[in-house]
Amino acid sequence: MRFTLLRSWLDSRTRWEKVALVVWSIVLLFVSARVFISPEAKTVYPIFSSSGRLWWSGTDLYEPDRPKSVQDGYRYSPTFAILMAPFAALPDSLGGVAWRLVSVGALVGSLLWLVRCVLPAILTRDQFAWLLLLTLPLSLQSVNNGQANVIVIACMVAAVAAVKLARWNLASLLITLAFVCKVYPLALGMLLVVLYPRQLLWRLPLALAASLLLPFLCQNPAYVVDQYEKWFSLLRHDDRSWIAMEQTYRDLWLLIRLYVPHLNQQDHQHYRHIYMVFQVLTGAGIAVLCWQRQRAGWPVKALLTGTLGLAAAWMMLLGPATESSSFVLLAPSLAWSVVESLQAAEWRRRRGLLSASCALFAVAVLMGGFSSAVKIHALGVHSWASLFYFIYLLTEKRASLVVEVAQPVEDRRTAA
């Protein structure tokens, strides 16, 4: 009976839906099999699972006091270690698979919610399949190595959808969950507070405070204070600004170092300070831009879609920690931009920015998979791609937006 229902459901899918289903299934099956067979190879998941176990045993999470018997490199909050407890209770061979399946399920679910509630245009089933396929390339690395970035972007996307539906408590909770995993996704939360201060100005800080206080309910307070001190110290001293190009962050600072080769930490540290001020000012500028768009009467869906894209693009280009696997945070917005550009008559220069960004990201994904070509990252391919897409988003005009159709959310489900 179940097989008949499944067969009937598959037969009702369009060709592109079947392609998306097959491609994502192959990726998950391959990654799951690899993780089950070699749970500690090419993955950061053991860092998370061991930290969950260390937390409940009252053992140090952070270097240099972290036990040498477990994989090092834990840079997340104590609260994140608590949230990993259900996965840490399983052997890494099973927990690693479950972690990836939950992460991808959350991402796909959040994208479906985004399509139904937020995107300025109603997508057909084929177009939603394109969105899923276009999201995959920048997601692949994070899914493969078990990064928390997949959960982070799922929470960010879902938070925007929750805001659209005026579910303010849920939106605050989702932004907080992203914050627990990675601190800097709070940038999206701050932009949403600017747009909806009455609803979020008190809810979001309250949720953030609760997440920071949660560890005190789960362990000895003295141990929790000690772990927070070590976490703050780790974040304060973890500076990759001047390390080798192959290992540094893939952001705008990489391009500055690349094209101003005489820079060095000893003589030009003040340049780094100026750059940090520029990071803050640019973030503030984006907040002003989003506020101005709201004041100018942008449709809510277009406003929220643009805000999500700008937040993700800022985090990749000017955020505090942009690694190759971080670009999954940009995947949903970039995928939507491509789908939208196929429907709308974009002016040529703007479409050129999007095309250049996609081409460079494709080069980074394809060439980055070969160990002999890993130095391609030092050429700033990711950084240039982020820069082009950032400019693309900044130059979006209300006149070029797809007109929203006044249609209830329930009716859009059949279209998506």
Side-chain angles (χ1 to χ4, degrees), residues 152-204:
V152 170
I153 186 55
C155 290
M156 291 172 59
V157 170
V160 170
V163 167
K164 175 61 181 67
L165 297 178
R167 300 179 64 176
W168 308 111
N169 292 333
L170 178 58
S172 299
L173 177 62
L174 289 165
I175 291 294
T176 299
L177 183 56
F179 166 81
V180 166
C181 299
K182 303 264 188 175
V183 175
Y184 55 84
L186 184 58
L188 174 62
M190 296 170 70
L191 291 179
L192 294 175
V193 167
V194 170
L195 297 178
Y196 303 97
R198 184 174 59 84
Q199 296 88 346
L200 294 175
L201 187 57
W202 63 272
R203 283 185 172 90
L204 184 56

Side-chain angles (χ1 to χ4, degrees), residues 33-106:
R34 183 188 67 77
V35 170
F36 185 79
I37 296 171
S38 302
E40 297 183 358
K42 298 180 180 180
T43 177
V44 298
Y45 172 77
I47 300 176
F48 305 155
S49 60
S50 60
S51 297
R53 300 179 191 115
L54 291 176
W55 169 263
W56 295 109
S57 65
T59 309
D60 282 300
L61 300 174
Y62 307 99
E63 280 78 28
D65 301 311
R66 184 180 175 91
K68 305 301 180 184
S69 58
V70 299
Q71 189 172 335
D72 60 5
Y74 187 76
R75 303 169 58 210
Y76 301 81
S77 68
T79 307
F80 183 72
I82 296 173
L83 298 182
M84 289 302 299
F87 301 96
L90 300 171
D92 281 354
S93 57
L94 295 177
V97 173
W99 169 248
R100 288 164 173 84
L101 293 178
V102 169
S103 298
V104 172

Side-chain angles (χ1 to χ4, degrees), residues 317-330:
L317 186 65
L318 290 156
T322 305
E323 301 172 324
S324 297
S325 58
S326 302
F327 287 91
V328 63
L329 302 183
L330 206 58

